[in-house]
Amino acid sequence: MRGTGIRAGASMTCLIRMLEKPRLKKPVLVEGLPGMGFVANIAAAHMMRELGARKFALITSSSFQDFAMTMEGGMVRSPVNELYYCPEGLVILYGNTQADGRRGQYELCWEVLNLVKKMGCELVLTMGGYRRDYVAGRPRVYCAATDVGLLEKARGLCDGVVVGNIYGAAGLLLGLGKVLGMGGVCFLAETMGLYPDARAALEVLKVVSEFLELDIDLSRLEEAAFITEEIWRGSSEERGKYPF
Amino acid sequence: MRGTGIRAGASMTCLIRMLEKPRLKKPVLVEGLPGMGFVANIAAAHMMRELGARKFALITSSSFQDFAMTMEGGMVRSPVNELYYCPEGLVILYGNTQADGRRGQYELCWEVLNLVKKMGCELVLTMGGYRRDYVAGRPRVYCAATDVGLLEKARGLCDGVVVGNIYGAAGLLLGLGKVLGMGGVCFLAETMGLYPDARAALEVLKVVSEFLELDIDLSRLEEAAFITEEIWRGSSEERGKYPF
Amino acid sequence: MRGTGIRAGASMTCLIRMLEKPRLKKPVLVEGLPGMGFVANIAAAHMMRELGARKFALITSSSFQDFAMTMEGGMVRSPVNELYYCPEGLVILYGNTQADGRRGQYELCWEVLNLVKKMGCELVLTMGGYRRDYVAGRPRVYCAATDVGLLEKARGLCDGVVVGNIYGAAGLLLGLGKVLGMGGVCFLAETMGLYPDARAALEVLKVVSEFLELDIDLSRLEEAAFITEEIWRGSSEERGKYPF
Amino acid sequence: MRGTGIRAGASMTCLIRMLEKPRLKKPVLVEGLPGMGFVANIAAAHMMRELGARKFALITSSSFQDFAMTMEGGMVRSPVNELYYCPEGLVILYGNTQADGRRGQYELCWEVLNLVKKMGCELVLTMGGYRRDYVAGRPRVYCAATDVGLLEKARGLCDGVVVGNIYGAAGLLLGLGKVLGMGGVCFLAETMGLYPDARAALEVLKVVSEFLELDIDLSRLEEAAFITEEIWRGSSEERGKYPF
């Protein structure tokens, strides 16, 4: 009986399946995971579509939900994070979930940062929503950064600086990136966080495009933002008519 | 003093004790762990008995319950998962428990998938119950799959497709299998989930037999299903007579 | 700058510091950790004292309490497990705590079993209390075992067999020992579990001595049991006099 | 496609980034993490400033909070522990947080102890607050130690010995240090723990300076202690005037 015996599995955290190994020159890591108002998620999705980003890695974590989801027609979809790249020199962290719990968050961010560091990444850019009870007119965009140079540049493009904590991957990637010697900058747009907020995503993306000197066509996102706003204004007016 | 010093144990997850190393040609992994209505567990047990399956691995996980159970007569039984094989080309994941918590579930599924992948496995088939408040007549069987080809084939044998999440090992094995490049298909039968539901297990097994083109004698399971139904109908009638 | 760089610590579970590496012939592992009524703990302590056991390993676990305790006079004591050996061929697992949580329990038991297996151990003997609301007269001793031979031998010395689950290290060591190919037997004495129960420990130790064919002087434990009982009876009588 | 495939990340605990590798002769590890009344944190900060300590390592743990904090002006600060050294032969563990949970605490303490052990460390000195409902006049300082010699020396400088448990890193470092063969001593000063207590920190630092035979100028800490006390007395008097 060959091959028998006892095997002890080591505690797993993330599994990264590389589909391709892109060669980029000092790529910037852009975080686009779901969070407050789905701001980063929407902004990243738009960026990926407009820049023709290409998926090169699948990431699974033992801190993701332990179920599979079904889509219409019976196709199975699982909690997953993915890495995309664009020839413009971006690596985008995208997905349908964030890891749950401190350990899960740290380990996933750590694995991703290690991977992009090997690809030459020196800058981490995170995005997200900035929770407000009410957002009137254009959502303002706030920034924060891990070093003075980045902060100066970011402040010139924003309405102000972030006050308070930056939760989830958007915050952790900055801190862990710093430990790995990478600079970090974060852009948060005001959102009520009650629905996927294309309006806030648009404002973040405007600033990010300028910051990274990218030429991204924002017209489709503007349209989505317009529609979202219409729906929301409509439902608010409806709500105004009926007490609840 | 030889052999002294400090040893740091690495975080353990699963322990797999191989009893035998079977050689199979592209085996299909069939999941038969306890879950909703014990549907998968009963179906797998029947399959194993009728096909003369043979145990080849014991699996322990640090996410199983931390106790031993006693059986009549004082024999000790522990929470365990097991792998069986049949010459027909099946590897069956069977057991008296599922791992607890996300990490536990992910790590166990991951270890099992890695093991069967090395055995040449390219397809994962999971089973389970589909929770209903009431099941009238024949329990319907629903399917879901990770790719279009498998889904087409499965839909032809089922009453419809799964809507919603697939929890536990039945869902996770699909998603993690996909990361490892394996196809995945799932069959769930309607059950109220209030008792070990041999009736639902029978319906799942009918579909699975067809899907895998296996010739399984279902008469013993039909008998069990009949008895279960009698007991349940009887107790329902009893309940009808007395208010509680 | 030599020696700089990043080091990632792997998830630690148990740390075992070997003080000595004893050579024993097929030693039996005896579990004596704190639990219900401190039955195993007291029995093991007596066994160790009477047989002149010698400490050979210190065990720390990241699932122990995260504090230090002080003793009279300011000396610091930490949560610890220890391994002792006797020339009679015993390895005794002793300590002032059990690991907390499933992972902690599994990992500690696993590390200990791996260590003693390398020393030639083929049998695991666990002890403990069997919770009763009231224990009249001599506490009865119950047994359980992982194989028929051990069970037969144990039943001949006991009042009956264990019904239900065996919690903590006393149960886990049996199941994990089995995965490692070691036999396992467990002896539980009736206890109310309200105080360190020397009476129950005495009864367990009588059976264990017979089972292992050890010649242990039980007079000191008998004395302790007598005193415990006096105290308890006294306090019960007191309680009888005053309503509370 | 080179470089593709699956990578499984091992469970991460601490990440230590070495900025420099100092050479010291049998340095003493001094713990100065935040805890009860921030006593250790304040004492360590003062010690570091007066002795001109130099940062040589950054420590991140997956048991730290999973967010980034912003400071005035938008600079990002993350939960971090740091190691400093002084030519006097001290290694100081400093930071803005402690790891959360047993595993996190054990693993961080373990990694730090392993690192300083390699640097030749044989003594661990921890500090902290000793919770009191009311502290009248000079906060008393209590000690505890892992061996008799250290305890004797410490008692000669203190008002008494610690009674009860020593929580967090201050306690764990003693116990784990002992497993690694290092001596351990702990000094706790009385504090109400309601505010950063410079007064208690001063008393601890007086004793620690004597114990380690260090010449530390305490005037700045005395000033801080004086101001703290004034503020507190003021606010207490205020409170006396208004019921709440």
Side-chain angles (χ1 to χ4, degrees), chain A residues 29-36 39-41 81 93 97-99 105-106 108-109 113 124-130 143-146 162 165-178 183-189 204, chain D residues 66-70 76-78:
Chain A
L29 176 66
V30 177
E31 176 269 329
L33 295 177
M36 177 72 63
V39 173
N41 214 218
N81 282 5
L93 174 57
T97 189
Q98 287 205 23
Q105 285 276 22
Y106 268 91
L108 193 142
C109 290
L113 287 168
V124 178
L125 185 153
T126 70
M127 308 184 287
Y130 200 50
C143 64
T146 58
V162 176
N165 296 332
I166 305 169
Y167 291 95
L172 262 194
L173 287 169
L174 302 180
L176 282 172
K178 201 176 172 184
V185 61
C186 174
F187 298 99
L188 304 182
V204 158
Chain D
D66 51 347
F67 54 67
M69 301 163 280
T70 55
V76 166
R77 214 167 60 104
S78 289

Side-chain angles (χ1 to χ4, degrees), chain D residues 4 16 19 38 43 49 51 70 82 96-97 100-101 105 121 148 163 182 191 193 226 229 236 238:
Chain D
T4 60
I16 302 185
L19 306 171
F38 289 85
R49 189 177 52 188
L51 298 176
T70 55
E82 297 167 331
N96 57 17
T97 189
D100 181 69
Q105 286 276 23
C121 173
V148 179
V163 175
M182 296 151 128
T191 180
F226 180 77
E229 229 163 319
S236 298
E238 286 300 301

Side-chain angles (χ1 to χ4, degrees), chain D residues 29-44:
Chain D
L29 176 66
V30 177
E31 175 269 329
L33 295 176
M36 176 72 63
F38 289 85
V39 173
N41 214 218
I42 297 169

Side-chain angles (χ1 to χ4, degrees), chain B residues 102-207:
Chain B
R102 293 178 180 199
R103 291 227 157 184
Q105 286 276 22
Y106 268 90
E107 289 168 347
L108 193 142
C109 290
W110 180 250
E111 293 294 329
V112 168
L113 286 168
N114 265 304
L115 180 63
V116 296
K117 192 177 162 73
K118 278 177 201 146
M119 294 170 73
C121 174
E122 294 176 358
L123 175 63
V124 178
L125 185 153
T126 70
M127 306 184 288
Y130 200 51
R131 180 80 175 79
R132 296 290 195 202
D133 288 337
Y134 192 70
V135 180
R138 185 182 66 81
R140 271 170 292 207
V141 179
Y142 300 94
C143 64
T146 58
D147 69 64
V148 179
L150 288 167
L151 187 58
E152 279 313 295
K153 187 177 166 191
R155 284 176 78 166
L157 304 168
C158 291
D159 300 289
V161 297
V162 175
V163 175
N165 296 333
I166 305 169
Y167 292 94
L172 262 194
L173 287 168
L174 301 180
L176 282 172
K178 201 175 172 185
V179 172
L180 285 167
M182 296 151 126
V185 61
C186 174
F187 297 99
L188 305 181
E190 291 183 322
T191 179
M192 289 187 285
L194 303 171
Y195 52 92
D197 192 341
R199 189 77 181 81
L202 174 64
E203 294 305 319
V204 159
L205 200 47
K206 279 183 193 168
V207 174

Side-chain angles (χ1 to χ4, degrees), chain D residues 61-106:
Chain D
S61 159
S62 57
S63 298
F64 285 169
Q65 300 92 323
D66 51 347
F67 54 67
M69 301 163 280
T70 55
M71 295 183 289
E72 261 180 83
M75 284 292 282
V76 166
R77 214 167 60 104
S78 289
V80 75
N81 281 5
E82 297 167 331
L83 291 173
Y84 289 79
Y85 72 95
C86 329
E88 283 81 357
L90 300 183
V91 170
I92 299 163
L93 173 59
Y94 189 72
N96 57 17
T97 189
Q98 287 205 24
D100 181 69
R102 295 179 177 195
R103 290 227 157 185
Q105 286 276 23
Y106 268 91

Side-chain angles (χ1 to χ4, degrees), chain D residues 8-44:
Chain D
S11 193
M12 160 194 141
T13 62
C14 297
L15 296 165
I16 302 185
R17 183 176 172 201
M18 299 296 287
L19 306 171
E20 194 182 336
K21 199 178 179 181
R23 288 168 183 272
L24 300 164
K25 212 175 149 183
K26 292 193 185 175
V28 176
L29 176 66
V30 177
E31 175 269 329
L33 295 176
M36 176 72 63
F38 289 85
V39 173
N41 214 218
I42 297 169

Side-chain angles (χ1 to χ4, degrees), chain D residues 23-210:
Chain D
R23 288 168 183 272
L24 300 164
K25 212 175 149 183
K26 292 193 185 175
V28 176
L29 176 66
V30 177
E31 175 269 329
L33 295 176
M36 176 72 63
F38 289 85
V39 173
N41 214 218
I42 297 169
H46 186 82
M47 189 184 265
M48 283 153 55
R49 189 177 52 188
E50 296 300 328
L51 298 176
R54 187 166 162 155
K55 197 191 307 188
F56 71 95
L58 293 172
I59 306 170
T60 305
S61 159
S62 57
S63 298
F64 285 169
Q65 300 92 323
D66 51 347
F67 54 67
M69 301 163 280
T70 55
M71 295 183 289
E72 261 180 83
M75 284 292 282
V76 166
R77 214 167 60 104
S78 289
V80 75
N81 281 5
E82 297 167 331
L83 291 173
Y84 289 79
Y85 72 95
C86 329
E88 283 81 357
L90 300 183
V91 170
I92 299 163
L93 173 59
Y94 189 72
N96 57 17
T97 189
Q98 287 205 24
D100 181 69
R102 295 179 177 195
R103 290 227 157 185
Q105 286 276 23
Y106 268 91
E107 289 169 347
L108 192 143
C109 291
W110 180 252
E111 292 294 330
V112 169
L113 287 168
N114 265 304
L115 180 63
V116 296
K117 193 179 162 71
K118 278 178 200 147
M119 294 170 73
C121 173
E122 294 176 358
L123 177 62
V124 178
L125 185 151
T126 70
M127 307 185 288
Y130 200 50
R131 179 82 177 79
R132 295 291 194 203
D133 288 336
Y134 192 70
V135 180
R138 185 182 65 81
R140 271 168 293 208
V141 179
Y142 299 93
C143 64
T146 58
D147 68 64
V148 179
L150 289 167
L151 186 58
E152 279 313 295
K153 187 177 168 191
R155 284 177 74 164
L157 305 167
C158 291
D159 300 288
V161 298
V162 176
V163 175
N165 296 332
I166 305 169
Y167 292 95
L172 262 195
L173 287 168
L174 302 180
L176 282 172
K178 201 175 172 186
V179 173
L180 285 167
M182 296 151 128
V185 62
C186 174
F187 298 99
L188 305 182
E190 291 181 323
T191 180
M192 290 187 285
L194 303 171
Y195 52 91
D197 193 342
R199 190 78 181 82
L202 173 64
E203 294 305 320
V204 158
L205 199 47
K206 279 183 195 166
V207 173
V208 169
S209 302
E210 270 194 88

